mmCIF file of all heavy atoms in Angstrom:
data_model
loop_
_atom_site.group_PDB
_atom_site.id
_atom_site.type_symbol
_atom_site.label_atom_id
_atom_site.label_comp_id
_atom_site.label_asym_id
_atom_site.label_seq_id
_atom_site.Cartn_x
_atom_site.Cartn_y
_atom_site.Cartn_z
ATOM 1 N N GLY A 23 6.712 6.724 9.902
ATOM 2 C CA GLY A 23 5.378 6.122 9.712
ATOM 3 C C GLY A 23 4.829 6.173 8.299
ATOM 4 O O GLY A 23 3.693 5.750 8.061
ATOM 5 N N ALA A 24 5.615 6.689 7.355
ATOM 6 C CA ALA A 24 5.107 6.768 5.980
ATOM 7 C C ALA A 24 5.264 5.423 5.277
ATOM 8 O O ALA A 24 6.235 4.703 5.513
ATOM 9 C CB ALA A 24 5.867 7.849 5.214
ATOM 10 N N ASP A 25 4.318 5.106 4.392
ATOM 11 C CA ASP A 25 4.432 3.856 3.624
ATOM 12 C C ASP A 25 5.602 3.931 2.642
ATOM 13 O O ASP A 25 6.238 2.916 2.365
ATOM 14 C CB ASP A 25 3.138 3.603 2.838
ATOM 15 C CG ASP A 25 1.979 3.251 3.765
ATOM 16 O OD1 ASP A 25 2.235 2.751 4.873
ATOM 17 O OD2 ASP A 25 0.820 3.470 3.373
ATOM 18 N N SER A 26 5.819 5.125 2.082
ATOM 19 C CA SER A 26 6.952 5.319 1.155
ATOM 20 C C SER A 26 7.738 6.544 1.590
ATOM 21 O O SER A 26 7.156 7.547 2.006
ATOM 22 C CB SER A 26 6.467 5.573 -0.274
ATOM 23 O OG SER A 26 5.637 4.548 -0.723
ATOM 24 N N ILE A 27 9.046 6.436 1.461
ATOM 25 C CA ILE A 27 9.940 7.559 1.751
ATOM 26 C C ILE A 27 10.508 8.025 0.414
ATOM 27 O O ILE A 27 11.101 7.219 -0.316
ATOM 28 C CB ILE A 27 11.121 7.089 2.644
ATOM 29 C CG1 ILE A 27 10.614 6.571 4.000
ATOM 30 C CG2 ILE A 27 12.162 8.176 2.818
ATOM 31 C CD1 ILE A 27 9.947 7.594 4.854
ATOM 32 N N ILE A 28 10.306 9.317 0.096
ATOM 33 C CA ILE A 28 10.872 9.851 -1.157
ATOM 34 C C ILE A 28 12.078 10.711 -0.805
ATOM 35 O O ILE A 28 11.935 11.814 -0.248
ATOM 36 C CB ILE A 28 9.849 10.709 -1.931
ATOM 37 C CG1 ILE A 28 8.572 9.917 -2.208
ATOM 38 C CG2 ILE A 28 10.473 11.219 -3.238
ATOM 39 C CD1 ILE A 28 7.451 10.759 -2.831
ATOM 40 N N LEU A 29 13.269 10.201 -1.076
ATOM 41 C CA LEU A 29 14.492 10.966 -0.832
ATOM 42 C C LEU A 29 14.702 11.849 -2.063
ATOM 43 O O LEU A 29 14.853 11.361 -3.181
ATOM 44 C CB LEU A 29 15.663 10.003 -0.597
ATOM 45 C CG LEU A 29 15.449 9.086 0.630
ATOM 46 C CD1 LEU A 29 16.411 7.903 0.609
ATOM 47 C CD2 LEU A 29 15.585 9.871 1.934
ATOM 48 N N ASP A 30 14.650 13.168 -1.829
ATOM 49 C CA ASP A 30 14.551 14.104 -2.956
ATOM 50 C C ASP A 30 15.909 14.670 -3.350
ATOM 51 O O ASP A 30 16.628 15.232 -2.513
ATOM 52 C CB ASP A 30 13.607 15.253 -2.550
ATOM 53 C CG ASP A 30 13.258 16.139 -3.728
ATOM 54 O OD1 ASP A 30 13.538 15.750 -4.882
ATOM 55 O OD2 ASP A 30 12.687 17.233 -3.503
ATOM 56 N N LEU A 31 16.235 14.525 -4.645
ATOM 57 C CA LEU A 31 17.456 15.147 -5.179
ATOM 58 C C LEU A 31 17.109 16.345 -6.065
ATOM 59 O O LEU A 31 17.994 17.054 -6.523
ATOM 60 C CB LEU A 31 18.241 14.115 -6.011
ATOM 61 C CG LEU A 31 18.707 12.873 -5.254
ATOM 62 C CD1 LEU A 31 19.390 11.882 -6.200
ATOM 63 C CD2 LEU A 31 19.651 13.262 -4.110
ATOM 64 N N GLU A 32 15.800 16.559 -6.312
ATOM 65 C CA GLU A 32 15.396 17.609 -7.258
ATOM 66 C C GLU A 32 15.115 18.940 -6.555
ATOM 67 O O GLU A 32 16.014 19.536 -5.963
ATOM 68 C CB GLU A 32 14.194 17.118 -8.089
ATOM 69 C CG GLU A 32 13.972 17.935 -9.371
ATOM 70 C CD GLU A 32 12.502 18.238 -9.655
ATOM 71 O OE1 GLU A 32 11.654 18.104 -8.760
ATOM 72 O OE2 GLU A 32 12.192 18.656 -10.790
ATOM 73 N N ASP A 33 13.835 19.343 -6.492
ATOM 74 C CA ASP A 33 13.549 20.735 -6.118
ATOM 75 C C ASP A 33 13.847 21.114 -4.671
ATOM 76 O O ASP A 33 13.979 22.303 -4.369
ATOM 77 C CB ASP A 33 12.093 21.079 -6.450
ATOM 78 C CG ASP A 33 11.911 21.395 -7.931
ATOM 79 O OD1 ASP A 33 12.937 21.456 -8.640
ATOM 80 O OD2 ASP A 33 10.764 21.580 -8.371
ATOM 81 N N ALA A 34 13.939 20.128 -3.765
ATOM 82 C CA ALA A 34 14.247 20.491 -2.374
ATOM 83 C C ALA A 34 15.753 20.710 -2.175
ATOM 84 O O ALA A 34 16.180 21.071 -1.070
ATOM 85 C CB ALA A 34 13.747 19.399 -1.426
ATOM 86 N N VAL A 35 16.554 20.492 -3.220
ATOM 87 C CA VAL A 35 18.015 20.583 -3.081
ATOM 88 C C VAL A 35 18.553 21.679 -4.011
ATOM 89 O O VAL A 35 18.293 21.653 -5.225
ATOM 90 C CB VAL A 35 18.682 19.227 -3.444
ATOM 91 C CG1 VAL A 35 20.199 19.315 -3.354
ATOM 92 C CG2 VAL A 35 18.151 18.109 -2.544
ATOM 93 N N SER A 36 19.295 22.642 -3.429
ATOM 94 C CA SER A 36 19.816 23.733 -4.256
ATOM 95 C C SER A 36 20.935 23.205 -5.163
ATOM 96 O O SER A 36 21.566 22.177 -4.868
ATOM 97 C CB SER A 36 20.341 24.877 -3.386
ATOM 98 O OG SER A 36 21.434 24.396 -2.648
ATOM 99 N N ILE A 37 21.189 23.938 -6.242
ATOM 100 C CA ILE A 37 22.090 23.449 -7.292
ATOM 101 C C ILE A 37 23.487 23.146 -6.759
ATOM 102 O O ILE A 37 24.108 22.158 -7.136
ATOM 103 C CB ILE A 37 22.122 24.434 -8.490
ATOM 104 C CG1 ILE A 37 22.799 23.821 -9.705
ATOM 105 C CG2 ILE A 37 22.698 25.777 -8.150
ATOM 106 C CD1 ILE A 37 21.987 22.809 -10.417
ATOM 107 N N ASP A 38 23.969 23.950 -5.794
ATOM 108 C CA ASP A 38 25.337 23.707 -5.314
ATOM 109 C C ASP A 38 25.417 22.571 -4.294
ATOM 110 O O ASP A 38 26.500 22.224 -3.827
ATOM 111 C CB ASP A 38 25.984 25.008 -4.781
ATOM 112 C CG ASP A 38 25.080 25.745 -3.838
ATOM 113 O OD1 ASP A 38 23.881 25.419 -3.827
ATOM 114 O OD2 ASP A 38 25.566 26.631 -3.096
ATOM 115 N N GLU A 39 24.255 21.982 -3.949
ATOM 116 C CA GLU A 39 24.296 20.848 -2.998
ATOM 117 C C GLU A 39 23.938 19.526 -3.668
ATOM 118 O O GLU A 39 23.768 18.499 -3.006
ATOM 119 C CB GLU A 39 23.324 21.103 -1.839
ATOM 120 C CG GLU A 39 23.716 22.307 -1.008
ATOM 121 C CD GLU A 39 23.297 22.181 0.445
ATOM 122 O OE1 GLU A 39 22.785 21.125 0.855
ATOM 123 O OE2 GLU A 39 23.489 23.155 1.169
ATOM 124 N N LYS A 40 23.805 19.539 -4.998
ATOM 125 C CA LYS A 40 23.332 18.330 -5.701
ATOM 126 C C LYS A 40 24.268 17.135 -5.490
ATOM 127 O O LYS A 40 23.798 16.031 -5.213
ATOM 128 C CB LYS A 40 23.182 18.597 -7.209
ATOM 129 C CG LYS A 40 22.111 19.622 -7.575
ATOM 130 C CD LYS A 40 20.710 19.078 -7.409
ATOM 131 C CE LYS A 40 19.689 20.080 -7.913
ATOM 132 N NZ LYS A 40 18.296 19.708 -7.556
#
Side-chain angles (χ1 to χ4, degrees):
D25 290 335
S26 304
I27 298 296
I28 304 173
L29 299 164
D30 190 12
L31 299 176
E32 198 222 16
D33 280 354
V35 178
S36 64
I37 192 74
D38 48 345
E39 296 210 5
K40 295 287 186 190

